[in-house]
Amino acid sequence: LVSFAGNWAIAKKYASANNYSVDATQELIAYGFSNIIGVLFNSVVVSGGLARTAVNVESGAKSQVSGCITAVLILMSLLLLTSFFYYIPMAVLSAIIQVSIVSMIDFEEMVSAYKIKKSDSLVMVVTFLATFFVGVTDGLFVGIILSLSMIFHSTAFPHVAHLGKLPPSEGSHFKDVNRFSSAQQIPGVAIIRMDATLSFVNCDYFQKLVMEATQGTFHSQHDPIHLVIIDTSAWIEIDLPGIRTLFDLHQSLQTMDVSLVVACAKGVLRDRLRDAGFVTLLGGNNMCMSIEDALNHRIDNEKGPKPASTAPFEGMELVEIHKDNSTVLAASRQSQGSEDFMAGELATNPMHHINHLSLSICSRDVSYTQLESYQETPTNI
């Protein structure tokens, strides 16, 4: 692994310098076959040499033909010229390697990495020092361990944003309140976005932050939270521990009388949650395509059914026609010697909200024939 990492680092370095591309999969296949064939002849592990590659490049090599020529020259030297090379000081050979290696050290890249992302700069500096003072193999191993540690840390403790809504003049988008001072959090609502896929690495961390947000810890107004919206736009997958975390969150929030809504889920994520039964448990209405939809749905539920408009009855005399336990709303209007009316169902509640309105227009004579057994009473609706 360390040898391949070293080879790949060299390949990427010179590919970037000479403006050509390399394929990691192809490099790994070639590396594996080289070692398989070498085993048949009791050879050592096949690997590219950092110093020898640098010398080859500095000598002007442009293709793989240079490797064949180098192999032939080395074979001839071993057979015919060893007695002449015996007296060459090791210092001379070291100088050739060092002169070639110096061109590979890129201090400007380290400075640039420090300005962009300090953790990457730290990995570069530590790897360089370990390689310089200890050795190439040890330096590469240290660099790999540090890089994997950085990746694991960013995955285990990803950035979590608490969102607020921008004013209409700025697009009414939902943004991180710590980065957008004009973003206003909605009273009683915690909107959370984790910028990483929910997995076994970070599920405990995420669950802890959601529960803290439920207490109003991250809310600007510190209001009691009655709705938690999880923005999953950054999630590209989810594993079993992540799904189990969502089940646990739903159960915990339910005991606190706090609603949970999942918004902005991608298709793959929705499929995983549907197969796990979480969508059924949560309720299809609590899986929303956007944060705005989640808020509108919750507001509609809190207000209850909307009363129907009475605009069709403008200019008409309204009456209630009762029969048994039902109530029908009727409106009459005089028009050119005849009288028309519109009728529909009326909710039998004190506020007289019209839950469902099925209208018809017909003549008064026909209507009274159909409704002759109804009791007609005036009303002030």
Side-chain angles (χ1 to χ4, degrees):
L1 176 62
V2 174
S3 298
F4 174 73
N7 291 341
W8 178 245
I10 298 169
K12 287 288 290 182
K13 169 68 179 179
Y14 288 112
S16 176
N18 295 281
N19 195 26
Y20 63 86
S21 60
V22 289
D23 185 355
T25 302
Q26 187 64 34
E27 293 291 323
L28 185 58
I29 292 174
Y31 183 73
F33 271 107
S34 299
N35 281 284
I36 291 173
I37 295 173
V39 168
L40 301 177
F41 300 94
N42 295 323
S43 71
V44 297
V45 177
V46 178
S47 177
L50 173 63
R52 285 175 288 279
T53 301
V55 171
N56 205 27
V57 172
E58 289 298 318
S59 64
K62 297 297 182 182
S63 69
Q64 295 178 346
V65 176
S66 63
C68 298
I69 297 174
T70 301
V72 172
L73 292 176
I74 290 175
L75 180 62
M76 292 176 60
S77 299
L78 292 174
L79 295 176
L80 304 173
L81 303 175
T82 54
S83 58
F84 296 100
F85 290 152
Y86 178 78
Y87 296 101
I88 296 179
M90 295 294 291
V92 175
L93 300 177
S94 300
I96 295 173
I97 294 174
Q98 289 178 2
V99 169
S100 301
I101 289 293
V102 166
S103 63
M104 296 185 64
I105 303 175
D106 192 349
F107 290 106
E108 292 183 0
E109 186 71 14
M110 294 184 185
V111 175
S112 176
Y114 181 80
K115 294 178 180 178
I116 299 172
K117 190 177 180 182
K118 293 180 175 56
S119 59
D120 286 350
S121 176
L122 175 64
V123 172
M124 295 174 68
V125 171
V126 173
T127 302
F128 169 75
L129 295 176
T131 302
F132 187 83
F133 290 105
V134 181
V136 175
T137 302
D138 297 320
L140 286 173
F141 184 76
V142 170
I144 291 172
I145 295 299
L146 277 177
S147 298
L148 292 177
S149 299
M150 295 293 183
I151 294 173
F152 183 82
H153 182 271
S154 63
T155 305
F157 303 99
H159 175 259
V160 176
H162 300 274
L163 307 183
K165 190 172 185 179
L166 294 175
S169 59
E170 299 181 33
S172 299
H173 302 296
F174 290 90
K175 295 295 183 180
D176 187 353
V177 295
N178 292 325
R179 298 179 65 88
F180 293 82
S181 57
S182 58
Q184 297 295 320
Q185 290 180 295
I186 299 173
V189 180
I191 308 175
I192 304 167
R193 186 193 69 218
M194 183 173 72
D195 296 330
T197 294
L198 184 63
S199 65
F200 73 98
V201 180
N202 53 35
C203 58
D204 291 337
Y205 172 72
F206 177 69
Q207 184 173 1
K208 176 186 175 184
L209 288 181
V210 172
M211 296 308 296
E212 290 180 358
T214 306
Q215 305 299 324
T217 305
F218 306 104
H219 204 285
S220 58
Q221 302 178 14
H222 299 285
D223 290 335
I225 302 298
H226 60 81
L227 172 63
V228 173
I229 300 176
I230 299 177
D231 179 359
T232 61
S233 57
W235 300 8
I236 58 176
E237 254 291 3
I238 191 170
D239 59 6
L240 291 179
I243 294 175
R244 192 176 299 114
T245 299
L246 292 180
F247 275 97
D248 293 342
L249 278 173
H250 179 266
Q251 183 178 0
S252 299
L253 295 178
Q254 206 171 31
T255 59
M256 301 167 60
D257 197 23
V258 176
S259 300
L260 175 64
V261 176
V262 176
C264 308
K266 295 180 173 64
V268 174
L269 180 61
R270 292 198 303 271
D271 293 341
R272 297 285 184 270
L273 298 180
R274 186 181 300 110
D275 294 340
F278 182 74
V279 175
T280 303
L281 176 67
L282 190 65
N285 291 333
N286 289 334
M287 287 287 296
C288 300
M289 299 303 294
S290 67
I291 299 175
E292 193 70 42
D293 289 344
L295 291 172
N296 292 338
H297 170 67
R298 184 55 51 184
I299 291 172
D300 290 342
N301 284 350
E302 290 174 356
K303 288 184 176 180
K306 294 182 179 179
S309 172
T310 58
F313 300 102
E314 291 181 359
M316 304 181 74
E317 180 185 354
L318 301 181
V319 296
E320 281 186 7
I321 301 176
H322 302 276
K323 181 181 180 181
D324 300 328
N325 293 325
S326 63
T327 303
V328 173
L329 177 66
S332 62
R333 175 172 52 200
Q334 295 287 341
S335 175
Q336 297 179 352
S338 65
E339 188 173 18
D340 300 332
F341 85 79
M342 304 173 68
E345 293 179 10
L346 177 68
T348 56
N349 61 66
M351 298 302 296
H352 294 288
H353 287 165
I354 303 172
N355 292 330
H356 174 71
L357 192 61
S358 177
L359 298 177
S360 62
I361 302 178
C362 54
S363 70
R364 181 178 178 86
D365 294 336
V366 175
S367 299
Y368 272 10
T369 300
Q370 294 176 344
L371 306 176
E372 57 184 359
S373 61
Y374 280 68
Q375 177 185 359
E376 181 176 349
T377 57
T379 181
N380 293 324
I381 297 178

